[in-house]
Structures are given as structure tokens and as C-alpha cells.
Amino acid sequence: MKPVTVYDIAKEANVSVATVSRVLNNTAPVKASTRERIQGLINKYQFQPNALARSLIKKATGMIGIILPDITNPFFPEVLAGLEQEARKRGYTYFLCDTGSSNQDIKDQYKRESQYLNILIEKQVDGIIMIGGRIDLHKCSKEMANEVAEVNKRVPLVFINGNLPGARYHRVVVDETAGAMRVTEHLIGLGHRDIAFIGGYPQMSNTVRRLEGFRMAMERAELPVREDWINHGGFSVQRGKELMDRLLGMEGKPPTAVVCANDLVGIGAIKAAVKAGLQVPRDLSITGVDDVPMAANVIPELTTLSLKCRELGRTAANVLHLLISKSEPVELLTTLQPELVIRESTSPPAG
Amino acid sequence: MKPVTVYDIAKEANVSVATVSRVLNNTAPVKASTRERIQGLINKYQFQPNALARSLIKKATGMIGIILPDITNPFFPEVLAGLEQEARKRGYTYFLCDTGSSNQDIKDQYKRESQYLNILIEKQVDGIIMIGGRIDLHKCSKEMANEVAEVNKRVPLVFINGNLPGARYHRVVVDETAGAMRVTEHLIGLGHRDIAFIGGYPQMSNTVRRLEGFRMAMERAELPVREDWINHGGFSVQRGKELMDRLLGMEGKPPTAVVCANDLVGIGAIKAAVKAGLQVPRDLSITGVDDVPMAANVIPELTTLSLKCRELGRTAANVLHLLISKSEPVELLTTLQPELVIRESTSPPAG
DNA sequence: GTGAAAGCGCTAACAC
DNA sequence: GTGTTAGCGCTTTCAC
């Protein structure tokens, strides 16, 4: 059976399509009796207006796109949850564009970003939010940056925790440098002097920022930074284990505390430390960054830096909505303050 | 600046829109020279055809909708990852419709499902996948079931691990009953006789199925089922802690093993047990269901039942695609076998 | 309060 | 090979 259209409704109600449209959109007064007649038919046929046709005219689709690198990393669902809430409230639905670093060849991640960018434009989304991927690159290639700049000209665009050279973007960020400083200072305040930093990728700006905060805190406390205690390699639990193993395998006195680039690495670090016979935090304090739900569920519960994931998502959706509705001018940069969450994985050093 | 259309391209290339459309879709041969001329303009203006207009004619959008209850529960991102992979390969983009049991008033969850169902139809998605929510209800109300039946008439629909009365649906399921039996038998094989079951909701069919498998294994081994050791209350880590605490607080000899309704409950159960001074698995064996990534990352690593999340997602996307393309008849029911994953949280009972 | 008609940007017959 | 034209299903002037 063919889907019913405004014409079908109009014909059966003995009115014109214009009138049907009017009751559909409440865009002009309609006589109560005809309105009821039409409404009756709408209910009878469970008529649902075709949003494609509507959007084609209105030049607005109520759809936005979210491009992210890996929904499987628990950080992103948290951000999404915040985003969803705000988006739904404003009447948007969203395309989730996972560039799938967990599934597919990670080398193609940026290619998939480009594809999704194009697809979203063709689908006429009202706006796009990007998080992770190329906007986290410390040095992004001119071509990749350019692509995004072009998109930015065509449709409202908001970055979460990232940036790109060559254009001015609307960004919602959390001050990771200050946050990493706070984490490190917490450790220093506890009495630690020998502190390592593991995880992340040196070519990613989030890692650079977190490491920078770490260094600033150490410097301010006049503590030496052991360069061989700074090791990168990724953001996964597996990486955390490996990096911690390496740290534990080094000659000489080990660190008494380890700042991890994110919670997953921190969880891996705990695993490796426990497996090596250490007690956390007695023998070794460990911290994370993100405050994903699991951070509160591991044993011992992970001291971490809350990146305010949900608020980040809500805020980004909000900024994007403001941009779309053009109701008011929007600040380019919105900065949230992260929050130190002290749990069980940190304590004064033993001895 | 206005977006460029086929007309703009056609005019500047001195051809008709039909020819532009032809090179865009490779739908008929075009003289090489004109094709190049047109392609040049397309590149020059970075012309992207409006997918709304195209879909309006073709009656296909390349969009599908996924309705799920809570992206924040790590089970769902895993399924999504599988789904995304398959969907992308087939050229679909998808709306993520999170009915947000984590954010908002959970009482409105089913209302949001209804809303999303309507929105997806209006947006003319080519198909819908549902997972969780009302399709997991052991007894779903007539009205709620009816809504879905109506949707099922209008657009291809696939359920993951759920069902609804009143109509025949295409479903991709994993045999949870057999799986729960396998888990329980593993425990029994280890020598356990006093086994509890915690977590889930009695009104949800997944809980019913898992509990059924548990009971069947116990019965087959001629072991008594202690009804006061069967406690429901949810699927979260927090619930797992509470339910385990209650178990530990009961009079008499405690169970030597606990089958948890899912991994999160299992992780909570471990936390509560450890906090109570027990050693897992020496004093208490604990199992989960799902095999979310975190199950392998907690200490001790959780023995669990892999629900083949990714495969579930891939298969569902596949089935939906088959339904959409009508290329071949599709089985109503696709069943996957779950897999017991033995890790560290189970061992023979002490002494 | 209501209808006629002109599109929104594209594809697909159907001519030539 | 290419152009003309009629829609897809809806909203929106502009009359009446």
C-alpha cells in the first residue's frame, strides 16, 4: 500500500492541500469543523508527513551529525549521553558517525572522517559536531584541515576538545592542562616526588596538553621530570598494562606515582601493578583522566580528573543549536573546568 | 552564498540538468568531453547534490534508525560497533536514538521510544533496528506492541534480542537460555552446589531467559534452587553491589558461587565481595553475561558469557539490509550461539 | 478561512 | 548523446 500524502487527506476532506498543511503546522487559523475533519483523517490513516519534502522547502532538517573516533571507548558514550539529552530537547535527531578506529583499519580513520563530512553535507544536516580524530592532531595536514574549513563555511560546526589551524572554529573545551596540573599537584601534595607519566600519543594535542600540565606542576614544585618515565603508546587498557610493565621493568628505584593519560590506561596500569605484586595505592599511586563510569568501579577506585563528559556534550549541543538558530552571537570558545576526583588509587608514598 | 544546484552546473556547462544528473549518477553514457567539463565544474564548486531531493524521488534515503535504551551501558556500544561496520559497508548512515534511561526520567523511556519511532518514519528511514526497551518486556502492553506492529507494516524492522506479541518480527537473537545453562554448568562442574542468581528485572524477558537457563542447569544436576538466593533489581554495577551485600548479609551459609545477570552486576558483585573481605574466586566464584570489554579488565578478570555483541550488530545490520533490498527472502529468526569465556573469577569452591 | 499554483533540487521517462 | 518535462510531497505566497 502506498503511503498516504497530504493530497489523499485533502481529497477525502474536500479541502485543498494548503488547508491540510495549515492544520499540520498550525500556521494559519482553520475553521474548527474542517480542522477536526482533517485531524480525524490524519488519525485514521496515521498520516505522517514526509520530512524530506518538508525539509526540502524549509531548508532545515532537524538533523545534526556527530563524528567521533570510537564509540567503544567509554568516554564517548558519556559525551553522547549529554549531547543526546540536549539535542532531543531541541528537536534534533542525530547521525552517529563512528570512524571506527576499533573495527577497521585505523589508517583509514581520517579517510572515513572525510567521507562522513561529505555525506552529512549531502544529507543537509543543520550542523555538525566533531570530537576526536583529526581535530586532536597536534599537527594536522593542510589538506585535512582544509576539508574541515570548507565544511565550516557551509554548515555550523562545533569542535569538542580539539582545534585545527587555518580557520576560526567554535569550540567547547575542558582545560586539560590545568586539570593535569591539579592531578599532579594532588600527588605532590601527598608527598610524591618520583612521578611518571604514561599513555596517550605524542602527536595528539590532548596528550600534549595533559603532559604540559604535568610538567608545569612538577616544575612549580621544583621536582625533576625523568624523561625516561614519560612513555606514550595509546589510550587503551592494554597499552596501560604494557606501559606500566615497562616502567616496572626499568633499572633503579621505580616511581611512587604514575599519572596516566586517561582512565583506561590507568585501569591497565593498576592491573599490571597488581599482577607484579604491588599494592595500589600503598606501593604505587595511580591516577587517570576522563572519569568514565568504570573508574569508580575498579578496585581500587581510580582517582581521576573528571572531564565533565556529559556537560561537554550538553554544552556542545547547546552551542551548535545557538549557531543553527542564529538567535544570538556565540562565543568562539567555551571552556569548562575539569574536576579532580579523589578516590582510592592515590595515597602518600610508603616509607 | 547560496548552495549550488544542478541547474547552476548545467547552465555554466551549457548542458541540461539531465546531463548533469547523468554524470552524477553514471546512469547513461555521456560524451567524454562534456562529462569532463561538468566534472570540472562539480569540483570547482565542490558541488554536493542534495540528498533530500534525491531521496524524495528514489524513495530510499540510505538512512536507518537504531533505537536503544542507554548508550552508556557498554553492551550497546559494542553492538553498535558491529552494526556501524556493516551499515557503512552497505552505504547506510544511521540515526542513533537513545531513549536515555541514564539521563532522564526512566518512566518516560517508552514514550521516547514511541516518539523516535514516529520521527524515524517521518524522516523516511529505510529501516529500523530496535534493541532493548519495550521489546525486552516480558509482558508488553497491547498499545505499545501495537505501535511497533504498525511501524513494522511501513518499514523493515529488526529486533535484536527481543520480541513482541501480536505480529511476526524479524529477529536476531543469541540463545541466552542455553548460555546461562552453560555458565551454570561450568560452576557446577567446578564443584559448586550452592549457587545464587542476582540482577536483572523479573519483568524483562532477558532476565527470564537467563534465569531459566540457570534453573535448568540446576535441575539437571539435581541441585536445589534457593529462591531467597534469587534477587533482581537491575543491570548496573551499583545494583550488583547492593544485591551482593544483601546476599552476604543473609543468615546461614552463603553461596559459594553467584551467577550475575550481566557483567556490570558481576563487577559490582566482585566489588562488594572484596569489600566484605572475601577473596574472589577462592571464597566466592562470580560470573557475568555480555562479555563487555571491561569484564576482561577488572581484577579478577570476570568469567562471563559472551553474547557476541559485535556479531549481533553486524548480523542485524545484514538482515535489515536484506530486508530493505528485498533481494532474497529472509528468515524471521537468526540465532547466534553465545560462548562461555572462562577467566579468573571462577574456581572450585574452597574446602 | 480557503484554494490555486509556484516551487524546493533532483531523477527519469520520453523525445529527438 | 542530450534536452524537455513531469513529478517526488510538501509549504507558501497571493488571491479571493
Side-chain angles (χ1 to χ4, degrees):
Chain A
M1 69 184 184
K2 294 219 150 33
V4 359
T5 72
V6 278
Y7 281 94
D8 303 321
I9 302 284
K11 187 186 287 178
E12 190 163 342
N14 276 314
V15 295
S16 76
V17 290
T19 305
V20 176
S21 176
R22 285 184 188 111
V23 346
L24 239 29
N25 302 285
N26 248 304
T27 182
V30 173
K31 189 161 41 147
S33 67
T34 50
R35 142 165 278 120
E36 276 165 32
R37 188 152 32 97
I38 292 172
Q39 193 58 56
L41 291 168
I42 289 177
N43 295 337
K44 172 178 171 195
Y45 292 112
Q46 305 206 53
F47 167 66
Q48 322 224 203
N50 184 323
L52 296 176
R54 175 179 282 173
S55 297
L56 194 54
I57 297 183
K58 311 249 274 193
K59 274 138 185 28
T61 55
M63 314 186 300
I64 62 183
I66 322 290
I67 303 184
L68 50 76
D70 178 17
I71 191 64
T72 266
N73 176 331
F75 173 72
F76 296 107
E78 286 297 314
V79 177
L80 261 192
L83 221 140
E84 192 277 338
Q85 185 177 222
E86 199 66 18
R88 227 183 53 86
K89 187 161 47 167
R90 310 246 184 246
Y92 297 105
T93 48
Y94 63 92
F95 292 110
L96 180 60
C97 306
D98 185 338
T99 56
S101 47
S102 83
N103 266 326
Q104 8 226 340
D105 190 353
I106 200 166
K107 300 304 277 181
D108 294 333
Q109 178 185 163
Y110 303 123
K111 208 173 75 192
R112 283 191 293 271
E113 274 181 29
S114 307
Q115 291 172 346
Y116 273 130
L117 248 12
N118 283 323
I119 291 172
L120 290 176
I121 297 230
E122 291 186 357
K123 303 258 191 232
Q124 311 295 121
V125 294
D126 292 340
I128 298 176
I129 292 176
M130 294 182 75
I131 178 168
R134 73 181 66 176
I135 71 170
D136 273 358
L137 251 24
H138 191 52
K139 283 183 193 310
C140 180
S141 76
K142 264 250 158 30
E143 307 90 81
M144 293 210 309
N146 238 323
E147 273 180 11
V148 182
E150 285 300 322
V151 169
N152 193 38
K153 286 183 200 156
R154 296 179 182 226
V155 54
L157 178 60
V158 172
F159 290 168
I160 295 180
N161 265 3
N163 202 359
L164 239 32
R168 306 229 137 269
Y169 296 100
H170 285 269
R171 306 191 287 138
V172 176
V173 307
V174 49
D175 190 342
E176 295 167 291
T177 306
M181 263 186 82
R182 237 164 281 164
V183 169
T184 311
E185 282 165 352
H186 161 63
L187 256 12
I188 293 172
L190 249 22
H192 293 276
R193 296 180 44 85
D194 304 312
I195 311 179
F197 182 104
I198 62 173
Y201 290 108
Q203 69 271 25
M204 287 179 66
S205 54
N206 53 8
T207 306
V208 171
R209 286 191 297 271
R210 292 167 198 190
L211 187 54
E212 187 190 352
F214 169 76
R215 286 186 192 278
M216 283 169 63
M218 293 295 274
E219 189 168 326
R220 190 176 287 187
E222 296 183 3
L223 256 25
V225 172
R226 289 250 319 239
E227 295 302 327
D228 57 336
W229 279 357
I230 297 179
N231 285 303
H232 302 295
F235 283 108
S236 68
V237 175
Q238 183 55 30
R239 284 317 183 173
K241 282 197 261 192
E242 294 166 9
L243 291 168
M244 179 56 94
D245 278 338
R246 191 191 317 174
L247 221 45
L248 262 20
M250 289 174 61
E251 312 231 317
K253 196 159 70 82
T256 62
V258 180
V259 173
C260 298
N262 73 344
D263 288 346
L264 294 186
V265 169
I267 290 170
I270 291 180
K271 282 216 70 163
V274 169
K275 218 139 220 166
L278 266 40
Q279 270 195 35
V280 179
R282 202 199 58 184
D283 304 321
L284 189 62
S285 285
I286 293 177
T287 64
V289 170
D290 279 353
D291 197 23
V292 297
M294 232 0 105
N297 294 333
V298 289
I299 305 174
E301 296 177 9
L302 190 65
T303 291
T304 189
L305 183 74
S306 166
L307 250 36
K308 305 286 186 63
C309 310
R310 298 212 179 198
E311 195 180 339
L312 218 40
R314 276 200 305 273
T315 309
N318 223 354
V319 168
L320 187 62
H321 171 68
L322 255 28
L323 250 28
I324 291 172
S325 59
K326 296 192 185 67
S327 49
E328 38 181 307
V330 187
E331 294 287 335
L332 271 179
L333 183 65
T334 308
T335 305
L336 305 183
Q337 280 307 315
E339 193 179 330
L340 179 64
V341 181
I342 299 174
R343 290 202 266 251
E344 304 170 346
S345 67
T346 50
S347 73
Chain B
M1 66 186 186
K2 294 215 150 35
V4 358
T5 72
V6 278
Y7 282 95
D8 303 320
I9 303 283
K11 185 187 289 179
E12 191 164 339
N14 276 311
V15 294
S16 77
V17 290
T19 306
V20 176
S21 176
R22 285 183 188 110
V23 345
L24 240 30
N25 301 286
N26 248 305
T27 183
V30 173
K31 188 159 46 142
S33 66
T34 48
R35 145 166 276 122
E36 276 165 31
R37 189 151 33 99
I38 291 172
Q39 192 59 56
L41 291 168
I42 289 176
N43 295 337
K44 172 178 169 192
Y45 292 113
Q46 306 207 52
F47 168 65
Q48 322 226 206
N50 184 324
L52 296 176
R54 174 179 284 173
S55 298
L56 194 54
I57 297 183
K58 310 252 271 195
K59 277 139 183 25
T61 55
M63 313 186 303
I64 61 182
I66 322 291
I67 303 184
L68 50 76
D70 177 17
I71 190 62
T72 265
N73 176 333
F75 173 72
F76 297 107
E78 286 298 313
V79 177
L80 261 193
L83 221 139
E84 192 276 338
Q85 186 178 217
E86 201 66 16
R88 226 183 54 86
K89 187 162 48 170
R90 311 247 186 244
Y92 297 105
T93 48
Y94 63 92
F95 292 109
L96 179 62
C97 305
D98 185 338
T99 56
S101 47
S102 84
N103 265 327
Q104 5 225 343
D105 190 353
I106 202 166
K107 301 305 273 181
D108 293 333
Q109 179 186 165
Y110 303 122
K111 209 173 72 190
R112 281 190 294 271
E113 274 180 29
S114 307
Q115 291 173 345
Y116 274 131
L117 248 13
N118 283 326
I119 291 173
L120 289 176
I121 297 229
E122 291 187 355
K123 303 256 191 233
Q124 311 293 122
V125 293
D126 292 339
I128 297 177
I129 293 177
M130 294 182 77
I131 177 168
R134 73 180 66 176
I135 72 169
D136 273 357
L137 251 25
H138 191 51
K139 284 185 192 307
C140 180
S141 77
K142 264 248 160 27
E143 308 91 80
M144 292 209 311
N146 239 324
E147 273 180 9
V148 181
E150 285 300 323
V151 169
N152 192 38
K153 285 185 202 154
R154 297 177 180 229
V155 54
L157 178 61
V158 172
F159 290 168
I160 295 181
N161 265 3
N163 203 0
L164 239 33
R168 305 228 138 270
Y169 295 100
H170 285 271
R171 305 192 287 138
V172 177
V173 309
V174 52
D175 189 343
E176 295 166 291
T177 305
M181 263 187 81
R182 236 163 283 165
V183 168
T184 311
E185 283 165 352
H186 161 64
L187 257 12
I188 294 172
L190 249 22
H192 293 275
R193 296 180 45 85
D194 304 312
I195 312 179
F197 182 104
I198 62 172
Y201 290 107
Q203 69 272 27
M204 287 178 67
S205 54
N206 53 9
T207 305
V208 172
R209 286 193 296 272
R210 292 168 198 188
L211 186 55
E212 188 189 353
F214 169 77
R215 284 187 194 277
M216 283 170 63
M218 294 294 276
E219 189 168 326
R220 189 176 289 188
E222 297 182 2
L223 257 25
V225 172
R226 288 253 317 244
E227 295 301 327
D228 56 337
W229 279 357
I230 297 179
N231 284 302
H232 301 295
F235 284 108
S236 67
V237 174
Q238 183 55 32
R239 282 316 180 177
K241 282 198 262 193
E242 293 166 9
L243 291 169
M244 179 55 92
D245 277 337
R246 189 188 322 169
L247 221 45
L248 264 19
M250 288 173 63
E251 311 232 318
K253 196 160 69 86
T256 64
V258 181
V259 173
C260 298
N262 72 347
D263 288 346
L264 294 186
V265 169
I267 290 170
I270 291 180
K271 283 215 70 163
V274 169
K275 216 139 220 164
L278 266 41
Q279 270 194 38
V280 179
R282 205 200 56 186
D283 304 321
L284 189 63
S285 285
I286 292 177
T287 65
V289 169
D290 280 354
D291 195 24
V292 297
M294 230 4 102
N297 295 331
V298 289
I299 305 174
E301 298 178 9
L302 190 65
T303 291
T304 188
L305 184 74
S306 166
L307 250 35
K308 306 284 187 63
C309 311
R310 297 212 180 198
E311 197 180 340
L312 217 42
R314 276 199 306 272
T315 309
N318 224 353
V319 169
L320 187 63
H321 171 67
L322 255 27
L323 250 28
I324 291 172
S325 59
K326 297 191 184 68
S327 48
E328 38 182 306
V330 186
E331 295 287 336
L332 270 178
L333 184 64
T334 308
T335 305
L336 305 184
Q337 280 307 316
E339 193 180 330
L340 180 64
V341 181
I342 299 174
R343 291 204 263 252
E344 305 171 345
S345 68
T346 49
S347 73

